């Protein structure tokens, strides 16, 4: 298998990826330039393409990230799989700060972002399982056993991610509503990224970095525990510390996952994502504008005959 892996880093992880040395690709796409140059490195004998989602200096807020350009650029460079990282708030007691979660479901609440490549054709990809089961299994294996040593953190193998628009965080009423919906995590960047990866026929999985308990979790009256409530400055310092620790934890798991992918490249099961367009192009192909077919050639040309 011609295995090439894209790694997209969000808050914390993006800065760490940006510091890696390798071959820099300045990519142009039909949707503009990606968030930053994409750095090609070799990890565990595998070609890996690193992209900081929020760009150099973290200047792009979640609504401003060029998601289409990012995914298209990785596809142009030949990526077959994408491992994404992203900071999240926890909506469940069992998902503690500094833990990592490999979500299996998503609820999309974003509304300001272009969420398809196919604006001049009717393309409907199957999305019941939004994250690739093959890549999720690899991440869970990479995070299995005694991970983190004395630092102590867990890698959870399931969770429902609620994708919100942001950039402001939730109100308490919203946070409680997300819990009632069945949400386990709240974040701002997995959508439309996951959907676009499916449209590009790339296996995509998310490693979510838990930084805090969002705002649903408050101390019940009369249970102060004898200590004063933390100030907002103290809480922010704690969240930043959690993000820093979770970032190191995530890098450890991602490196291990890439090693497993490299070892198994010739026996990996095919991801359902890798044939997502086979039944997804509903338009009559002969009536789609030739210029549009060429413009999106890296995504769908194999279905149009040569």
């Amino acid at each position: 298998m011609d295995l090439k892996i894209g790694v997209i880093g969000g808050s914390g992880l993006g800065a760490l990826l940006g510091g890696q040395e390798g071959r820099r690709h300045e990519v142009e796409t039909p949707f503009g330039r990606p968030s930053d140059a994409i750095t090609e490195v070799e990890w565990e004998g595998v070609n890996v393409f690193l992209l900081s989602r929020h760009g150099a200096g973290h200047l792009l807020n979640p609504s401003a990230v060029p998601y289409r350009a990012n995914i298209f650029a990785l596809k142009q460079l030949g990526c077959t799989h994408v491992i994404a990282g992203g900071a999240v708030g926890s909506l469940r007691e069992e998902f503690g700060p500094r833990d990592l979660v490999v979500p299996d479901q998503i609820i999309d609440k974003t509304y300001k972002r272009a969420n398809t490549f196919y604006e001049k054709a009717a393309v409907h990809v199957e999305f019941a399982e939004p994250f690739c089961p093959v890549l999720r299994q690899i991440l869970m294996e990479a995070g299995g056993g005694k991970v983190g040593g004395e630092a102590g953190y867990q890698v959870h193998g399931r969770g429902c991610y609620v994708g919100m628009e942001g950039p402001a965080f939730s109100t308490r009423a919203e946070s409680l509503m997300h819990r009632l919906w069945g949400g386990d995590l709240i974040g701002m960047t997995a959508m439309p990224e996951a959907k676009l990866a499916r449209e590009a026929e790339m296996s995509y999985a998310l490693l979510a970095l838990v930084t805090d308990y969002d705002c649903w979790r408050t101390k019940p009256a009369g249970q102060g525990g004898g200590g004063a409530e933390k100030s907002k400055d103290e809480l922010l310092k704690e969240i930043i510390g959690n993000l820093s620790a979770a970032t190191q934890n995530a890098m450890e798991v991602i490196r291990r996952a890439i090693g497993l992918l490299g070892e198994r490249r010739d026996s990996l099961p095919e991801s359902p994502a890798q044939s997502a367009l086979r039944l997804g192009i509903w338009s009559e192909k002969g009536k789609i504008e030739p210029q549009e077919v060429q413009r999106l050639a890296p995504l769908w040309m194999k279905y149009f005959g040569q």
Side-chain angles (χ1 to χ4, degrees):
M1 181 184 199
D2 185 18
L3 182 69
K4 293 183 179 180
I5 302 171
V7 177
I8 301 175
S11 299
L13 191 58
L16 194 59
L17 295 179
Q20 300 286 319
E21 291 188 3
R23 179 185 174 192
R24 285 172 60 86
H25 295 272
E26 301 280 356
V27 185
E28 296 285 350
T29 82
F31 305 97
R33 304 191 71 169
S35 299
D36 200 356
I38 297 172
T39 303
E40 181 180 355
V41 297
E42 185 177 300
W43 287 351
E44 317 299 334
V46 177
N47 287 341
V48 179
F49 296 81
L50 310 176
L51 175 60
S52 174
R53 184 187 289 117
H54 299 283
H58 201 106
L59 297 181
L60 298 170
N61 73 40
S63 300
V65 170
Y67 295 98
R68 292 192 295 181
N70 287 351
I71 295 297
F72 198 98
L74 291 173
K75 182 72 173 182
Q76 276 186 311
L77 291 170
C79 289
T80 54
H81 297 70
V82 176
I83 299 173
V88 296
S90 171
L91 299 172
R92 303 292 165 190
E93 198 76 43
E94 60 266 32
F95 296 160
R98 306 191 178 198
D99 282 358
L100 304 175
V101 185
V102 184
D104 60 333
Q105 276 299 327
I106 197 161
I107 296 171
D108 186 9
K109 284 184 61 190
T110 63
Y111 58 89
K112 292 170 62 177
R113 311 171 189 189
N115 63 4
T116 182
F117 294 113
Y118 306 104
E119 298 170 310
K120 295 184 178 181
V123 175
H124 305 280
V125 294
E126 189 276 331
F127 203 56
E129 302 297 330
F131 302 106
C132 172
V134 177
L135 197 48
R136 287 186 63 251
Q137 183 61 39
I138 290 286
L139 283 170
M140 287 186 282
E141 285 186 47
K146 292 183 179 288
V147 179
E150 295 181 1
Y153 66 93
Q154 289 184 272
V155 180
H156 304 271
R158 57 149 300 278
C160 180
Y161 178 112
V162 180
M164 63 181 291
E165 186 63 49
F169 296 117
S170 302
T171 67
R172 184 164 290 115
E174 288 170 332
S175 190
L176 292 169
M177 178 184 70
H178 296 150
R179 282 168 50 83
L180 290 173
W181 282 358
D184 301 305
L185 308 164
I186 181 77
M188 298 182 188
T189 54
M191 290 295 283
E193 195 171 84
K195 191 174 290 183
L196 293 167
R198 182 65 52 88
E199 287 193 343
E201 296 193 322
M202 290 193 291
S203 169
Y204 176 97
L206 177 69
L207 191 61
L209 290 63
V210 180
T211 61
D212 64 280
Y213 279 109
D214 201 42
C215 60
W216 63 272
R217 189 173 180 259
T218 58
K219 282 187 179 181
Q223 294 186 20
E229 288 283 348
K230 292 178 180 176
S231 70
K232 294 201 183 300
D233 286 346
E234 289 172 323
L235 286 171
L236 180 59
K237 185 176 180 181
E238 181 178 295
I239 289 170
I240 291 172
N242 291 338
L243 177 60
S244 177
T247 296
Q248 296 299 325
N249 299 342
M251 279 295 289
E252 178 182 341
V253 172
I254 289 171
R255 290 292 292 256
R256 194 178 296 131
I258 289 170
L260 290 173
L261 287 164
E263 290 170 11
R264 301 175 189 177
R265 71 173 74 207
D266 295 325
S267 59
L268 280 175
E270 182 177 349
S271 165
Q274 291 165 352
S275 56
L277 295 181
R278 187 172 66 84
L279 300 176
I281 303 172
W282 287 29
S283 298
E284 290 184 41
K285 296 185 181 70
K287 293 191 175 179
I288 300 173
E289 296 176 3
Q291 305 96 303
E292 187 68 2
V293 175
Q294 287 297 326
R295 190 174 79 101
L296 303 180
L299 306 181
W300 64 359
M301 184 57 84
K302 69 180 182 181
Y303 296 103
F304 283 83
Q306 300 299 319

